[in-house]
Amino acid sequence: MIRKSPIKLGALVPYPLNLAPGQRYRIEQWVAYLEAQGIKVELLPFADAALMRSLHQPGHYWAKVTGLIRCFAQRVRLMFKLREYDALYLFRAASIVGPALLEHLLPLLGRPVIFDFDDAIYLLHTSAANRYFGWLKFPGKTASLCRLSSHVVAGNSYLAAYARQHNERVTVIPSSVDTEAYSVAVKSATAKKVIVGWTGSSTSQTHLESYSPLLNELMKRRDVEFHVISDRKPELPGVPVVWHRWSPETEITDLARFDIGIMPMPDDQWARGKCAMKALLYMAMGIPTICSAVGMNQEVIQHGENGWLAQTDDEWLAGLQTLIDDEALRRRLGAAGRQTIEAHYSMRHCADLFAAVIRNTLAQHDAQREVKRWFLLKSKNNAL
């Protein structure tokens, strides 16, 4: 069977567009490039803006409940229209709460399903604002989503190992950076202090906040500025912070101020599933990067060559002080980091990998359908 062009992909995503990092740096970022490759993607969010406003705040339980019911009803209505697509893409889940009820309907539509996840979502992990709703996420449904899908895409090898327990058709595609938009930052010649910075969401900000004593000690040893880009003001007692509220319009400008980018993390199962997105952003902009030696960070960074890895508090302090004191080292690591992104983690590279998954999955689906059709015809002829 010869496929018509363009291929139509219905993308079921959890959140409104240009908001959630994982969604932005995966499917959203690839849309325009995929369309140029003959794959037209339509993004179909579960949550609307009103629900997201309530989810990001503590309390507001009635608004959260009614919003979830409203968005779930909208998702159910959408299910009847999904046959118009050639294939379906599922990022994390069809609904941000509940068991895999809607997802089990997808294979019944006769379209191949590509399931993509970039965090250890098979573990329970939630923000402080929504800890009482955590049980509604049903993290165990991730195994079911792997099994019912035609193909699984995982953000790193750690997640892929989990997926392969439930589906043999798994491809690793990292989260990616648009290297044209996130270009090498030009530093101001008038800057007086080295700026150490962190960027991320309110959920991962708890990792940063647990490092508050270490940052306090750094401030005692070196006269630096510490900047944070996030959707929630950080709680770092005793640490002077310049906070930039995250927005897509100012993100790149705010990142460009950093002289050093940091990504501290605990060594636990959730952190090992992270896709090193902070490091990828810093490195794409030529910002020397120091990360905890956990999970994918160890795949992206070769210590001392294109970045810096640290495990203990002493290693963190030694690494930060070395980078603060050595401008030439910062330039070298920043340049090497940029080269790493261009070679392995650029938007174009990762979108090409994803386009190949779509085409191969459709080809396999069509071949299986032809085999079924042949057997049906043969059975009818034998019956006659």
Side-chain angles (χ1 to χ4, degrees), residues 323-341:
L323 290 172
I324 290 166
D325 296 343
D326 193 336
E327 183 179 355
L329 176 62
R330 296 201 303 270
R331 286 198 301 268
R332 179 173 67 78
L333 294 182
R338 171 70 183 191
Q339 292 173 357
T340 298
I341 301 303

Side-chain angles (χ1 to χ4, degrees), residues 239-295:
V239 180
V241 178
V242 179
W243 177 54
H244 308 274
R245 182 179 290 278
W246 179 89
S247 78
E249 294 78 22
T250 61
E251 178 189 30
I252 293 174
T253 302
D254 293 336
L255 280 169
R257 295 185 176 94
F258 292 7
D259 293 296
I260 300 167
I262 67 170
M263 186 178 178
M265 300 164 64
D267 189 2
D268 59 26
Q269 286 184 300
W270 178 261
R272 289 174 211 143
K274 299 298 288 182
C275 286
M277 198 63 235
K278 296 173 183 59
L280 300 182
L281 289 177
Y282 303 146
M283 293 164 73
M285 297 188 67
I287 300 167
T289 303
I290 178 167
C291 298
S292 294
V294 175

Side-chain angles (χ1 to χ4, degrees), residues 11-204:
L12 298 162
V13 297
Y15 305 113
L17 308 188
N18 208 23
L19 181 64
Q23 191 174 300
R24 289 175 62 226
Y25 296 120
R26 297 183 74 76
I27 187 65
E28 286 186 40
Q29 189 168 229
W30 300 336
V31 168
Y33 186 78
L34 290 171
E35 186 164 1
Q37 306 302 310
I39 301 171
K40 184 173 179 59
V41 181
E42 185 172 355
L43 295 164
L44 307 166
F46 172 84
D48 56 23
L51 175 59
M52 293 306 296
R53 282 194 296 272
S54 64
L55 286 179
H56 283 166
Q57 302 176 49
H60 297 269
Y61 299 125
W62 181 244
K64 291 174 182 178
V65 170
T66 56
L68 287 168
I69 293 171
R70 179 184 66 251
C71 292
F72 192 86
Q74 292 170 353
R75 192 60 118 194
V76 170
R77 289 194 293 272
L78 174 68
M79 300 296 286
F80 296 99
K81 301 179 181 179
L82 294 179
R83 285 184 181 272
E84 66 185 62
Y85 300 103
D86 299 303
L88 301 173
Y89 168 86
L90 182 63
F91 181 63
R92 294 193 172 215
S95 165
I96 62 175
V97 295
L101 299 176
L102 297 177
E103 291 89 343
H104 275 98
L105 297 176
L106 296 178
L108 303 179
L109 299 173
R111 302 293 183 269
V113 177
I114 299 168
F115 172 50
D116 178 18
F117 67 113
D118 67 332
D119 269 325
I121 56 173
Y122 46 88
L123 303 172
L124 182 59
H125 185 83
T126 189
S127 66
N130 294 302
R131 62 167 59 96
Y132 298 114
F133 289 88
W135 64 273
L136 288 172
K137 288 188 173 184
F138 286 80
K141 71 182 178 182
T142 306
S144 297
L145 302 187
C146 290
R147 286 192 292 268
L148 63 81
S149 298
S150 308
H151 200 99
V152 179
V153 172
N156 58 51
S157 57
Y158 183 82
L159 301 177
Y162 170 84
R164 290 192 179 102
Q165 298 175 50
H166 309 286
N167 192 324
E168 62 182 12
R169 298 176 298 278
V170 179
T171 300
V172 175
I173 302 180
S175 296
S176 61
V177 184
D178 183 346
T179 51
E180 294 180 8
Y182 292 82
S183 55
V184 175
V186 178
K187 301 299 178 185
S188 170
T190 60
K192 295 181 180 179
K193 292 184 179 181
V194 170
I195 293 176
V196 178
W198 180 94
T199 186
S201 66
S202 55
T203 51
S204 62

